[in-house]
Amino acid sequence: MRFRTTTAVAAGSALLLLTGCGAADMTRQASPFANAQGSRTVTLSVQSWVGAQANVAVAQYLLEHELGYRVDTVQVDEVPAWDALSQGRVDAILEDWGHPEQEQRYVEDKRTIVNGGDLGVTGHIGWFVPTYFAKRHPDVTDWKNLDRYAERFRTPESGGKGQLMDGSPSYVTNDKALVKNLKLDYQVVFAGSEAAQITQIKQFAKEKKPFLTYWYTPQWLFEKVPMTEVKLPAYEEGCDADPEKVACAYPVTPLQKYLNADFAKDGGEAADFLKEFRWTTEDQNEVSLMIAEQKLSPGEAAKKWVDSHESVWKKWLP
């Protein structure tokens, strides 16, 4: 996510069904079926947050059960996924939160990747506090007042400063630069993964403790732990161009799909289907909640959603 920077989004041990919390070694994990000429196989990149897993689960189910493809999935972090996609080691990324350098290199310059269209979901990253704390201290929702609460957000891991909790170190994030450039008395502390971050958020909420966390929408956890966004300096085009000088909020990002260029041209019904795959935030959250909270396998969650939303997915089929 542009975490991602996506976000979003992971949740509990159920997410480990598809991916771990560490970076994937694509030289070892590349599928032999990716971009196989004349073969009815598709390889999809799976990122480590549950929303991305929901996309892949539903796409995989329909490709296999409606179009007769074999689908292979490969766990891979965000930036390496672009490299793998360019080289044909995976055929598609179904949720990208914005990687301008990779877009320029692979879409504009090398033309080895093509945009596959909007996913239909709009992503946003920000800093959030629990709503129960924001109701008692409404001024905390303005970044200028965060230092007043630094002591309340302090943890053993934050070194005497307030803790700003992030997820995986592999996510693209501006948070360290923001803390430095906004001169805040905070320390970025990585939970290690989205799943670990969710576990920590749930524990804080259970004990009604205050916390400040990097988080994102869409994400199913808001239904379980209501959170309120802290207003950072307004985002303006180009304000995040220099990663070291960022002092503004994260943008609102229409999430995109990307396809390997050869697959987009020669991938037949599978490529056509993935270009048409487009659903809503509510759809994605419905599947994500089944995987992360109800503990359904991704395949079971996909089947349940497909069985009750035929009018949506029928339009994606070639």
Side-chain angles (χ1 to χ4, degrees):
M1 270 166 210
R2 190 171 153 149
F3 304 107
R4 315 172 160 217
T5 85
T6 123
T7 188
V9 147
S13 60
L15 301 186
L16 301 179
L17 291 169
L18 283 181
T19 108
C21 60
D25 181 352
M26 287 302 303
T27 62
R28 298 178 183 274
Q29 288 194 260
S31 166
F33 303 104
N35 200 23
Q37 297 296 322
S39 175
R40 290 184 71 82
T41 59
V42 180
T43 299
L44 301 177
S45 170
V46 184
Q47 284 88 356
S48 64
W49 55 93
V50 69
Q53 294 175 6
N55 304 325
V56 170
V58 170
Q60 178 175 4
Y61 186 90
L62 290 169
L63 282 164
E64 290 179 342
H65 290 84
E66 294 294 323
L67 297 177
Y69 282 81
R70 165 180 171 150
V71 178
D72 199 28
T73 60
V74 181
Q75 71 175 61
V76 54
D77 289 332
E78 291 175 88
V79 173
W82 279 80
D83 301 330
L85 187 62
S86 174
Q87 296 163 16
R89 291 184 281 153
V90 298
D91 295 317
I93 297 171
L94 298 186
E95 181 175 313
D96 183 79
W97 283 64
H99 291 84
E101 290 184 10
Q102 282 69 33
E103 291 174 44
Q104 181 64 45
R105 180 180 304 124
Y106 294 126
V107 179
E108 300 297 331
D109 298 340
K110 294 188 175 182
R111 300 189 178 183
T112 52
I113 293 174
V114 299
N115 185 290
D118 288 347
L119 175 64
V121 177
T122 298
H124 174 62
I125 298 164
W127 292 359
F128 290 84
V129 295
T131 299
Y132 56 76
F133 188 78
K135 285 181 177 178
R136 294 197 302 269
H137 307 281
D139 62 326
V140 76
T141 60
D142 185 331
W143 72 270
K144 295 177 183 177
N145 299 321
L146 282 175
D147 276 356
R148 298 180 188 176
Y149 298 95
E151 185 173 353
R152 302 287 300 274
F153 295 135
R154 188 179 301 165
T155 69
E157 294 75 31
S158 61
K161 299 177 180 288
Q163 173 177 282
L164 170 57
M165 181 167 56
D166 275 42
S168 168
S170 70
Y171 294 162
V172 179
T173 169
N174 300 330
D175 286 357
K176 286 187 176 180
L178 281 167
V179 166
K180 178 183 176 182
N181 296 328
L182 296 178
K183 298 179 172 59
L184 295 174
D185 188 27
Y186 283 79
Q187 177 72 36
V188 175
V189 177
F190 291 96
S193 68
E194 188 186 53
Q197 191 176 7
I198 286 174
T199 297
Q200 186 63 73
I201 289 172
K202 283 184 170 181
Q203 186 61 39
F204 281 138
K206 182 179 180 180
E207 299 173 8
K208 292 297 184 194
K209 288 185 177 180
F211 62 86
L212 175 66
T213 189
Y214 159 108
W215 206 235
Y216 35 88
T217 60
Q219 226 290 342
W220 64 270
L221 186 63
F222 285 102
E223 295 186 24
K224 302 297 179 180
V225 182
M227 289 181 273
T228 301
E229 187 170 5
V230 174
K231 293 181 180 178
L232 294 169
Y235 177 83
E236 296 180 2
E237 190 70 30
C239 69
D240 55 355
D242 186 339
E244 299 299 321
K245 297 181 180 179
V246 177
C248 60
Y250 291 90
V252 173
T253 306
L255 305 183
Q256 301 293 303
K257 299 168 294 180
Y258 286 93
L259 308 181
N260 172 272
D262 290 337
F263 171 74
K265 182 177 64 175
D266 302 323
E269 290 182 328
D272 293 339
F273 164 79
L274 292 174
K275 292 171 187 175
E276 293 297 323
F277 184 107
R278 180 184 175 92
W279 61 353
T280 66
T281 296
E282 291 71 26
D283 291 325
Q284 188 189 80
N285 277 341
E286 183 178 345
V287 178
S288 297
L289 192 61
M290 286 190 275
I291 296 172
E293 190 71 5
Q294 298 175 21
K295 309 304 182 186
L296 272 63
S297 72
E300 291 169 337
K303 182 181 187 306
K304 190 171 181 179
W305 185 89
V306 165
D307 287 346
S308 59
H309 293 80
E310 184 173 354
S311 62
V312 177
W313 58 260
K314 275 288 188 182
K315 294 180 287 189
W316 307 340
L317 299 180

